[in-house]
Amino acid sequence: MTPLPAAITAAGLQVSRSRSKILQGLDFSVDAGRITGLLGPSGSGKTTLMRAIVGVQRISRGTVSVLGRPAGSALLRHDVGYVTQGASVYSDLSVQANVRYFGAMHGATAADTAEAIAAVGLESFARHKAADLSGGQFSRVSLACALVAHPKLLVLDEPTVGLDPVLRAELWERFAAMAAAGTTLLVSSHVMEEASHCSSLLLLRDGLLLAQLTPAELAERGGSADLERAFLAIIKAADRGQEESRVTS
Ligand SMILES: Nc1ncnc2c1ncn2[C@@H]1O[C@H](COP(=O)(O)OP(=O)(O)OP(=O)(O)O)[C@@H](O)[C@H]1O
Ligand SMILES: [Mg+2]
């Protein structure tokens, strides 16, 4: 089978804000039809990178292309779904009305709406006002709004925060099924255990890409089957490398 062309390609990607470099020249590509995990500590630049990919973040240098077009191109409107860390739904509307509203922008049908609501396990809350939902339920409404458009690339910023283990497992199963059907998913998390659900991992630290590898490679390189430990080991090794280069330069 010939591999699909990359869904995302970044070359020398730099983002600066208030004169500090938030992303410091990233080079990577994301395979189509796979789940790629974007992992890194708080403040490492995950959200900024996702914003650059969906085209809402000004880039100071380098390029990002998405599905063969420059990130943010108007032609990508129906092909890229983005679920932010903050809520992007209307709290005074029902779950169903929210999903229908987002779906309408992409020509989605009533069946698509029902399917997206079911996918996030909110069928019995479809007619409830978003404001009346629990925190975890509320965050899933945004996800349903992104799913309803059937995007080719789905960018999800920490979608499993606030979800219980059962729902989290169900969601990862859902993501795996979507990837199997050809959707590309880029999912950020700082729960390292979730890395095992991804085909490829981008490890960010202080705006630098420490590595792009598979979960198995992460375990091997970090010397632990516990991916959290493995990541910490890689971070420590990178810190030591920086120390050494400071001493020798
Ligand atoms: N509007 C802004 N102006 C200046 N600096 C910003 C702005 N937004 C974010 N930053 C800085 O950019 C860096 C990366 O932030 P970003 O939100 O991308 O991190 P993150 O990895 O998504 O963190 P978290 O896991 O907490 O969501 C942080 O140091 C943050 O303080
Ligand atoms: Mg973030």
Short mmCIF file of all heavy atoms in Angstrom, two decimals, residues 76-113:
data_model
loop_
_atom_site.label_atom_id
_atom_site.label_comp_id
_atom_site.label_asym_id
_atom_site.label_seq_id
_atom_site.Cartn_x
_atom_site.Cartn_y
_atom_site.Cartn_z
N LEU A 76 -9.92 25.19 3.04
CA LEU A 76 -9.86 24.12 4.05
C LEU A 76 -11.03 24.19 5.03
O LEU A 76 -11.14 23.37 5.93
CB LEU A 76 -8.54 24.22 4.84
CG LEU A 76 -7.26 23.92 4.07
CD1 LEU A 76 -6.04 24.29 4.91
CD2 LEU A 76 -7.20 22.44 3.69
N ARG A 77 -11.88 25.20 4.85
CA ARG A 77 -12.95 25.49 5.81
C ARG A 77 -13.76 24.25 6.23
O ARG A 77 -14.03 24.05 7.40
CB ARG A 77 -13.87 26.54 5.20
CG ARG A 77 -14.66 27.33 6.20
CD ARG A 77 -15.39 28.47 5.53
NE ARG A 77 -16.11 28.05 4.35
CZ ARG A 77 -16.05 28.65 3.15
NH1 ARG A 77 -15.27 29.70 2.99
NH2 ARG A 77 -16.75 28.22 2.13
N HIS A 78 -14.13 23.43 5.25
CA HIS A 78 -14.97 22.27 5.58
C HIS A 78 -14.14 21.03 5.94
O HIS A 78 -14.70 20.01 6.33
CB HIS A 78 -15.88 21.92 4.40
CG HIS A 78 -16.85 23.01 4.07
ND1 HIS A 78 -17.77 23.47 4.99
CD2 HIS A 78 -17.02 23.76 2.96
CE1 HIS A 78 -18.48 24.45 4.44
NE2 HIS A 78 -18.03 24.65 3.21
N ASP A 79 -12.84 21.13 5.74
CA ASP A 79 -12.00 19.93 5.91
C ASP A 79 -11.30 19.85 7.26
O ASP A 79 -10.76 18.82 7.61
CB ASP A 79 -10.93 19.89 4.81
CG ASP A 79 -11.54 19.68 3.44
OD1 ASP A 79 -12.66 19.13 3.40
OD2 ASP A 79 -10.91 20.05 2.44
N VAL A 80 -11.25 20.99 7.97
CA VAL A 80 -10.50 21.02 9.22
C VAL A 80 -11.44 21.36 10.38
O VAL A 80 -12.13 22.38 10.35
CB VAL A 80 -9.36 22.07 9.15
CG1 VAL A 80 -8.59 22.12 10.47
CG2 VAL A 80 -8.41 21.74 8.00
N GLY A 81 -11.48 20.48 11.36
CA GLY A 81 -12.28 20.74 12.57
C GLY A 81 -11.33 21.03 13.72
O GLY A 81 -10.26 20.42 13.81
N TYR A 82 -11.71 21.97 14.57
CA TYR A 82 -10.84 22.36 15.68
C TYR A 82 -11.68 22.48 16.94
O TYR A 82 -12.68 23.21 16.95
CB TYR A 82 -10.18 23.70 15.33
CG TYR A 82 -9.32 24.33 16.40
CD1 TYR A 82 -8.46 23.57 17.18
CD2 TYR A 82 -9.34 25.70 16.61
CE1 TYR A 82 -7.64 24.17 18.15
CE2 TYR A 82 -8.53 26.31 17.57
CZ TYR A 82 -7.68 25.52 18.34
OH TYR A 82 -6.89 26.12 19.28
N VAL A 83 -11.31 21.76 17.96
CA VAL A 83 -11.98 21.90 19.25
C VAL A 83 -10.98 22.50 20.22
O VAL A 83 -9.95 21.90 20.52
CB VAL A 83 -12.52 20.55 19.77
CG1 VAL A 83 -13.23 20.74 21.10
CG2 VAL A 83 -13.47 19.93 18.75
N THR A 84 -11.29 23.69 20.70
CA THR A 84 -10.35 24.42 21.55
C THR A 84 -10.45 23.93 23.00
O THR A 84 -11.36 23.19 23.35
CB THR A 84 -10.68 25.93 21.55
OG1 THR A 84 -12.00 26.08 22.08
CG2 THR A 84 -10.64 26.51 20.15
N GLN A 85 -9.50 24.40 23.80
CA GLN A 85 -9.52 24.04 25.22
C GLN A 85 -10.69 24.72 25.93
O GLN A 85 -11.27 24.17 26.84
CB GLN A 85 -8.22 24.51 25.87
CG GLN A 85 -7.21 23.40 26.05
CD GLN A 85 -5.91 23.93 26.64
OE1 GLN A 85 -5.27 24.82 26.09
NE2 GLN A 85 -5.51 23.36 27.75
N GLY A 86 -11.01 25.92 25.48
CA GLY A 86 -12.14 26.64 26.08
C GLY A 86 -13.43 26.22 25.40
O GLY A 86 -13.41 25.65 24.31
N ALA A 87 -14.54 26.49 26.04
CA ALA A 87 -15.82 26.11 25.45
C ALA A 87 -16.14 27.00 24.26
O ALA A 87 -15.89 28.20 24.29
CB ALA A 87 -16.91 26.25 26.50
N SER A 88 -16.67 26.40 23.20
CA SER A 88 -17.02 27.20 22.03
C SER A 88 -18.48 26.99 21.66
O SER A 88 -18.87 27.13 20.53
CB SER A 88 -16.11 26.83 20.86
OG SER A 88 -16.13 25.44 20.68
N VAL A 89 -19.27 26.60 22.66
CA VAL A 89 -20.69 26.35 22.37
C VAL A 89 -21.54 27.45 23.03
O VAL A 89 -21.08 28.17 23.90
CB VAL A 89 -21.15 24.96 22.87
CG1 VAL A 89 -20.35 23.86 22.22
CG2 VAL A 89 -21.07 24.85 24.37
N TYR A 90 -22.78 27.52 22.58
CA TYR A 90 -23.71 28.50 23.14
C TYR A 90 -24.41 27.88 24.33
O TYR A 90 -25.18 26.93 24.17
CB TYR A 90 -24.71 28.94 22.07
CG TYR A 90 -24.05 29.64 20.92
CD1 TYR A 90 -23.77 28.98 19.73
CD2 TYR A 90 -23.65 30.98 21.04
CE1 TYR A 90 -23.13 29.61 18.68
CE2 TYR A 90 -23.00 31.61 20.00
CZ TYR A 90 -22.74 30.93 18.82
OH TYR A 90 -22.09 31.56 17.81
N SER A 91 -24.17 28.42 25.52
CA SER A 91 -24.68 27.75 26.71
C SER A 91 -26.20 27.92 26.86
O SER A 91 -26.84 27.13 27.54
CB SER A 91 -23.96 28.24 27.96
OG SER A 91 -23.94 29.63 27.98
N ASP A 92 -26.79 28.91 26.16
CA ASP A 92 -28.24 29.08 26.29
C ASP A 92 -29.01 28.24 25.27
O ASP A 92 -30.23 28.21 25.28
CB ASP A 92 -28.60 30.56 26.16
CG ASP A 92 -28.06 31.19 24.90
OD1 ASP A 92 -27.03 30.68 24.38
OD2 ASP A 92 -28.64 32.18 24.42
N LEU A 93 -28.28 27.53 24.39
CA LEU A 93 -28.96 26.64 23.43
C LEU A 93 -28.87 25.20 23.91
O LEU A 93 -27.98 24.85 24.68
CB LEU A 93 -28.28 26.72 22.05
CG LEU A 93 -28.37 28.03 21.27
CD1 LEU A 93 -27.69 27.83 19.91
CD2 LEU A 93 -29.81 28.46 21.07
N SER A 94 -29.78 24.36 23.39
CA SER A 94 -29.73 22.94 23.74
C SER A 94 -28.54 22.30 23.04
O SER A 94 -27.97 22.87 22.09
CB SER A 94 -31.01 22.24 23.31
OG SER A 94 -31.04 22.13 21.89
N VAL A 95 -28.18 21.10 23.49
CA VAL A 95 -27.10 20.34 22.87
C VAL A 95 -27.40 20.18 21.37
O VAL A 95 -26.57 20.47 20.50
CB VAL A 95 -26.99 18.94 23.55
CG1 VAL A 95 -26.06 18.03 22.77
CG2 VAL A 95 -26.56 19.09 25.00
N GLN A 96 -28.63 19.75 21.09
CA GLN A 96 -29.04 19.50 19.71
C GLN A 96 -28.96 20.77 18.85
O GLN A 96 -28.46 20.73 17.72
CB GLN A 96 -30.48 19.00 19.74
CG GLN A 96 -30.95 18.32 18.49
CD GLN A 96 -32.35 17.77 18.71
OE1 GLN A 96 -33.22 18.47 19.27
NE2 GLN A 96 -32.57 16.55 18.31
N ALA A 97 -29.42 21.88 19.42
CA ALA A 97 -29.41 23.14 18.65
C ALA A 97 -27.97 23.57 18.36
O ALA A 97 -27.67 24.05 17.26
CB ALA A 97 -30.15 24.22 19.43
N ASN A 98 -27.08 23.37 19.32
CA ASN A 98 -25.67 23.70 19.10
C ASN A 98 -25.10 22.88 17.95
O ASN A 98 -24.47 23.42 17.04
CB ASN A 98 -24.85 23.42 20.36
CG ASN A 98 -24.70 24.64 21.25
OD1 ASN A 98 -24.04 25.61 20.88
ND2 ASN A 98 -25.32 24.60 22.42
N VAL A 99 -25.30 21.58 18.02
CA VAL A 99 -24.70 20.69 17.01
C VAL A 99 -25.34 20.95 15.64
O VAL A 99 -24.65 20.99 14.63
CB VAL A 99 -24.84 19.21 17.44
CG1 VAL A 99 -24.22 18.29 16.39
CG2 VAL A 99 -24.18 18.98 18.79
N ARG A 100 -26.64 21.20 15.63
CA ARG A 100 -27.34 21.50 14.38
C ARG A 100 -26.80 22.79 13.76
O ARG A 100 -26.57 22.86 12.55
CB ARG A 100 -28.84 21.63 14.67
CG ARG A 100 -29.71 21.44 13.43
CD ARG A 100 -31.17 21.74 13.72
NE ARG A 100 -31.82 20.77 14.58
CZ ARG A 100 -32.65 21.09 15.58
NH1 ARG A 100 -32.91 22.36 15.87
NH2 ARG A 100 -33.21 20.16 16.29
N TYR A 101 -26.57 23.76 14.63
CA TYR A 101 -26.07 25.06 14.17
C TYR A 101 -24.71 24.92 13.50
O TYR A 101 -24.48 25.40 12.39
CB TYR A 101 -26.00 26.02 15.37
CG TYR A 101 -25.34 27.33 15.07
CD1 TYR A 101 -26.00 28.32 14.35
CD2 TYR A 101 -24.04 27.58 15.49
CE1 TYR A 101 -25.39 29.52 14.07
CE2 TYR A 101 -23.42 28.79 15.22
CZ TYR A 101 -24.09 29.75 14.49
OH TYR A 101 -23.49 30.93 14.20
N PHE A 102 -23.78 24.20 14.17
CA PHE A 102 -22.45 24.01 13.57
C PHE A 102 -22.55 23.16 12.31
O PHE A 102 -21.88 23.41 11.31
CB PHE A 102 -21.48 23.37 14.57
CG PHE A 102 -20.96 24.37 15.57
CD1 PHE A 102 -21.57 24.57 16.79
CD2 PHE A 102 -19.85 25.14 15.25
CE1 PHE A 102 -21.09 25.51 17.69
CE2 PHE A 102 -19.35 26.09 16.15
CZ PHE A 102 -19.98 26.28 17.37
N GLY A 103 -23.42 22.15 12.37
CA GLY A 103 -23.59 21.27 11.21
C GLY A 103 -24.11 22.03 10.00
O GLY A 103 -23.70 21.78 8.87
N ALA A 104 -25.01 23.00 10.24
CA ALA A 104 -25.62 23.75 9.14
C ALA A 104 -24.56 24.48 8.31
O ALA A 104 -24.70 24.63 7.10
CB ALA A 104 -26.63 24.75 9.70
N MET A 105 -23.47 24.87 8.98
CA MET A 105 -22.41 25.58 8.25
C MET A 105 -21.68 24.66 7.29
O MET A 105 -20.93 25.11 6.42
CB MET A 105 -21.42 26.18 9.24
CG MET A 105 -22.01 27.29 10.07
SD MET A 105 -20.75 28.11 11.01
CE MET A 105 -20.92 27.29 12.58
N HIS A 106 -21.85 23.35 7.48
CA HIS A 106 -21.13 22.39 6.65
C HIS A 106 -22.08 21.47 5.88
O HIS A 106 -21.70 20.41 5.42
CB HIS A 106 -20.20 21.54 7.53
CG HIS A 106 -19.22 22.35 8.31
ND1 HIS A 106 -18.04 22.80 7.76
CD2 HIS A 106 -19.26 22.83 9.58
CE1 HIS A 106 -17.37 23.50 8.69
NE2 HIS A 106 -18.10 23.54 9.78
N GLY A 107 -23.33 21.85 5.80
CA GLY A 107 -24.31 21.06 5.04
C GLY A 107 -24.67 19.74 5.69
O GLY A 107 -25.03 18.78 5.00
N ALA A 108 -24.55 19.66 7.02
CA ALA A 108 -24.85 18.39 7.69
C ALA A 108 -26.36 18.16 7.79
O ALA A 108 -27.14 19.11 7.86
CB ALA A 108 -24.24 18.39 9.09
N THR A 109 -26.75 16.88 7.81
CA THR A 109 -28.17 16.52 7.89
C THR A 109 -28.59 16.27 9.35
O THR A 109 -27.74 16.23 10.24
CB THR A 109 -28.41 15.21 7.11
OG1 THR A 109 -27.65 14.17 7.77
CG2 THR A 109 -27.97 15.31 5.67
N ALA A 110 -29.90 16.05 9.55
CA ALA A 110 -30.41 15.73 10.89
C ALA A 110 -29.78 14.43 11.40
O ALA A 110 -29.48 14.28 12.59
CB ALA A 110 -31.92 15.61 10.86
N ALA A 111 -29.55 13.50 10.47
CA ALA A 111 -28.93 12.22 10.86
C ALA A 111 -27.50 12.45 11.33
O ALA A 111 -27.04 11.84 12.31
CB ALA A 111 -28.95 11.25 9.68
N ASP A 112 -26.79 13.36 10.65
CA ASP A 112 -25.41 13.68 11.07
C ASP A 112 -25.41 14.26 12.49
O ASP A 112 -24.55 13.95 13.30
CB ASP A 112 -24.78 14.74 10.14
CG ASP A 112 -24.55 14.21 8.73
OD1 ASP A 112 -24.24 13.01 8.60
OD2 ASP A 112 -24.66 15.00 7.77
N THR A 113 -26.40 15.13 12.75
CA THR A 113 -26.51 15.75 14.07
C THR A 113 -26.71 14.68 15.14
O THR A 113 -26.00 14.65 16.15
CB THR A 113 -27.69 16.75 14.12
OG1 THR A 113 -27.48 17.73 13.11
CG2 THR A 113 -27.82 17.42 15.47
#
